[in-house]
Each structure stands twice: as C-alpha cells, then as structure tokens.
Amino acid sequence: MWKLADEILSSRLLLGTAQYPSLQTMRDAIHASGANVITVSLRRQSPQEKSGSAFWQYIKESGCHLLPNTAGCHCAQDAITTAEMAREIFQTHWIKLEVIGDDYNLQPDPFELVKAASMLIHKGFEVFPYCTDDLVLCKRLMDVGCRILMPWGAPIGSGKGLVNPYSLEMLRTRLPEVTLIVDAGIGKPSHATQAMELGFDAVLLNTAVALANDPVRMATAFQHAVIAGRAAYESGMMPERNMAHPSTSLLDTPFWHQEAQA
C-alpha cells in the first residue's frame, strides 16, 4: 500500500486509456494490470469518438481513481480551461497537467507549465505535472505547490525507456519527500522495473500496453515488473563492483566463519 496525494492505493502502476483496439480490450487490460488509477484525455477522446458514450460510462464506473489530463494543450490558459472542464465532468480535483512546447518530441513547455500549475493549485486542484527530468524545473513546480511530479523517461510514445537514468536518480536523491512518477517513454516491462529500482514511487504508461499484440498479457507483465522493481528497491540492492568477489566460500571454510571475521 502507498499514498498518492490523499488516497491509499495498492498498485504503483498507473494506466492510460487511449489507443486500445476495442473497449473490451481496454477494460480487460486495466483489470489485468491491477491499476487503481487510470488517465483520460478530454481533448483527444470524446463521447462522439471511438466507442462513444460506452467508453465514458465505463470510465465513470471502473472503480478506479480518475486522473484526467490536459493532453493537446499548448498554453497555460488552454490547460486551465481543460482542467476545469474535467473537474466538472468527473468530479475530481486531480489533474495531470500537460502543456506541450514542441510538437516533434512533445516536450513540455517549462514556462507555461509552471504558470498553469501555480494557477490550478490556487484554484484547488491536485496537480500532477508532466515535466522533463530537469531538477531546477522540478524545484520550481514544487515551489508553486506541486506535491507530485511526473518526469519523463523519454518522449511520449517513443518506447525508449529511461534515456537519462542519472538525472532521474538525481531527482530521487535531491527530492526525497516528493512523490515521483515516471511518465512517458516506457516501452518494456524492464523499463518499468528500472524506474522502480531507482526509488520512484510509481510508473504511468499507455502505449506500451495499448499497442501490444496482446494488451492484456502485456498489462499483466507490467504489473509484475512494477512490483519486482519496488521490492528490489526496498530490499536494498547490492552495489556494483569493479572487481570480482567470490560468492562461494573456500573449501573447508564455513561461510559463517567468514562472515564472523568480516
């Protein structure tokens, strides 16, 4: 169990709801993942598209915590307007804040992001900002009141995994009290495990599951990957060494004798 904002959750995997081949596949994948939180975009999905009203009905009845996002917004004001619509429709003050600054790699605009985050927090939202792994940007978001940060592992939908593990590890080290969720770029279960081994609190992904040949099995794989990574982090992983170190004691030397001497 862990705490996200003011909610107690059992799963550290957050799952998106876009691009699935069918509504039933999406439902089955969410169930298989064990996710307690699902994301939805008002600007890219509407009752008139995809599975129509059935999609929105399932979202409302899923039993999951809803995390609406502002995907597709390019300025603070658009993001704020979308967030206010989401709060009214879904009756939640949670919002995944996306303010895109570049259409090629979908990198967030740091200036508009901080501006929007500050205004939304003033309006009573719990803001989950999608940001880069830049430490200074993350600090600025915390300064305006963000308790949760969602740095990317790689550009959205790229599947490249953690392209800059050093920066992500530095965020975890320098910001020990903030909730950190890797968002974007996760392509394989091993990427999710790596993020969790760095000490991140959770992973959010969508494309890697939705576009898999078998989304339901892939969702299950990610569920196990996140659990394994978190367990490894909490257990204390052995440090890397530059030299070999025997794992088996010498003949006629009890291993407990060596440990006592150490």
Side-chain angles (χ1 to χ4, degrees), residues 16-154:
T17 57
Q19 304 186 76
Y20 290 89
S22 70
L23 176 60
Q24 187 60 51
T25 300
M26 182 192 75
R27 296 175 65 170
D28 292 343
I30 292 172
H31 179 73
S33 73
N36 302 139
V37 178
I38 55 177
T39 66
V40 61
S41 170
L42 288 180
R43 293 174 66 94
R44 290 181 175 167
Q45 293 166 304
S46 71
Q48 289 75 38
E49 298 174 353
K50 297 188 182 297
S51 298
S53 60
F55 171 84
W56 294 96
Q57 190 65 28
Y58 170 73
I59 292 299
K60 293 178 180 180
E61 297 175 352
S62 66
C64 296
H65 295 281
L66 301 184
L67 179 58
N69 66 45
T70 62
C73 294
H74 288 77
C75 68
Q77 189 54 58
D78 281 352
I80 291 167
T81 300
T82 302
E84 290 175 330
M85 291 172 57
R87 178 162 61 179
E88 181 178 348
I89 292 172
F90 296 114
Q91 298 297 300
T92 178
H93 68 295
W94 285 13
I95 192 72
K96 179 190 172 189
L97 179 61
E98 296 184 29
V99 186
I100 301 302
D102 181 80
D103 286 329
Y104 178 75
N105 67 0
L106 300 180
Q107 181 171 330
D109 182 325
F111 307 102
E112 292 293 295
L113 184 67
V114 173
K115 178 181 176 182
S118 177
M119 296 179 71
L120 286 171
I121 289 171
H122 181 71
K123 290 174 177 286
F125 284 87
E126 184 74 61
V127 178
F128 296 59
Y130 160 63
C131 56
T132 63
D133 52 16
D134 182 88
L135 177 61
V136 175
L137 171 58
C138 289
K139 285 185 173 181
R140 295 295 176 267
L141 289 166
M142 293 175 63
D143 288 344
V144 300
C146 293
R147 300 191 295 168
I148 299 155
L149 300 175
M150 305 183 77
W152 68 357

